[in-house]
């Protein structure tokens, strides 16, 4: 892939690229919609991701080209024109990163060309946008030799989502894309960003990714709505309990306080956040003890809670996860990422992979009308320079 991009770069821009990098996508094993509630998440970087090559220019122009969005052509702007512009499509994620980096670094004082290509399926809730943000950050860091570390880039990526794009997302996606490590998941406490690497090994079991292939719609507005429902619940609880986030509450504490949450929807959203946080800690313990069966059960419980209390699944994700849960050799399955569309994951015995695909495809096709896709990916590193 990268050699092809280097060649194409020369053809398009009449110069060689001077830096090349890769940023992964991610799956989240468990801990969904907990990252903006001060809870735990348990994601892993995957070897699908975004590749990019870049070089400095003599002027102040910025030229972006993506092989995934050929119809947008070469998107051109300048260092002096970095505000959000709908016409600039995907390049807004890049412009946002550059704008915020320029606030910190005067060194970014000439233009550059960037060519990218990703192999994360679009809109699959595997974090193609965080992958793009961190890739651009990494390329700019290399081009201008900026003294900025991974965590700072992670924060900038989240700021791009929140302030530049307008999605009030938590920090999980940028964190795992920035910090991922081959063959490891990260258990991250979003309350204080303490984290540690956990071998993502499941014995004879593997993670299968199942894509609904549903076009995403309204995801951003629904996402922001869920976040504000959690905030409403938190405010009600804070009148009674001295807490900064829902993530501080055990399930028992929540049960004894929940009647203080005035409306029923915020109560259910908060109940998901609290129980999911508990499940994430239990899943970590289960993995440490190689209790894959319990791990799988927790995945099932997570999906159930995301469906019934958090209402972010929908018929496509439910059909994938719930059909997978019934297949012999599957220990558990759940949606992954923001929800509404995108992907589910299943923990499945290696010998049952074919059967999983067969059964899920036939039920999904009969129920939804078109086929899902399946990916078997290995857990890879976070954003990195390519040699
Ligand atoms: C999206 C957001 C993350 C997280 C997940 C849900 O991926 O970007 O911050 O909230 O949804 O767990």
């Amino acid at each position: 892939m990268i050699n092809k991009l280097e060649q194409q770069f020369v053809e398009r821009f009449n110069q060689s690229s001077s830096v090349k990098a890769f940023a992964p996508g991610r799956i989240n094993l468990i801990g969904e919609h907990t990252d903006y509630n001060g809870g735990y998440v348990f994601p892993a970087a995957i070897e699908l991701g975004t590749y990019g090559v870049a070089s400095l220019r003599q002027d102040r122009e910025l030229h972006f080209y993506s092989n995934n969005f050929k119809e947008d052509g070469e998107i051109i702007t300048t260092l002096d024109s970095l505000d959000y512009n709908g016409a600039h499509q995907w390049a807004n994620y890049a412009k946002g990163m550059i704008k915020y980096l320029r606030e910190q670094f005067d060194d970014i004082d000439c233009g550059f060309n960037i060519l990218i290509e990703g192999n994360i399926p679009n809109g699959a809730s595997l974090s193609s946008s965080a992958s793009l943000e961190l890739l651009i950050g990494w390329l700019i860091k290399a081009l201008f030799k900026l003294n900025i570390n991974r965590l700072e880039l992670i924060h900038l990526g989240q700021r791009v989502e929140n302030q530049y794009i307008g999605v009030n997302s938590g920090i999980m996606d940028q964190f795992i894309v920035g910090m991922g490590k081959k063959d490891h998941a990260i258990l991250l406490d979003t309350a204080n960003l303490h984290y540690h690497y956990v071998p993502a090994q499941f014995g004879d079991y593997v993670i299968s990714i199942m894509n609904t292939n549903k076009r995403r719609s309204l995801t951003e507005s629904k996402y922001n709505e869920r976040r504000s429902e959690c905030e409403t619940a938190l405010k009600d609880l804070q009148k009674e309990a001295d807490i900064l986030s829902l993530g501080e509450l055990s399930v028992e504490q929540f049960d004894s306080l929940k009647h203080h949450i005035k409306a029923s929807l915020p109560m259910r959203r908060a109940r998901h956040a609290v129980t999911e946080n508990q499940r994430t800690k239990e899943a970590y313990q289960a993995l440490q003890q190689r209790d894959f069966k319990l791990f799988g059960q927790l995945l099932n419980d997570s999906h159930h809670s995301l469906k019934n209390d958090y209402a972010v699944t929908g018929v496509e994700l439910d059909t994938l996860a719930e059909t997978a849960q019934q297949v012999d050799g599957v220990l558990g399955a759940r949606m992954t990422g923001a929800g509404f569309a995108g992907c589910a994951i299943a923990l499945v015995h290696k010998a049952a992979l074919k059967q999983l695909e067969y059964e899920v495809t036939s039920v999904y096709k009969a129920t939804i009308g078109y086929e899902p896709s399946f990916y078997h990916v290995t857990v890879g590193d976070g954003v990195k320079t390519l040699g």
Side-chain angles (χ1 to χ4, degrees), residues 26 28 31-36 127 169-173 223 337-338:
R26 65 103 186 86
N28 186 20
E32 216 66 85
H33 291 280
T34 46
D35 66 344
Y36 48 86
S127 278
S169 55
I171 202 164
M172 168 171 74
D173 299 348
Y223 184 97

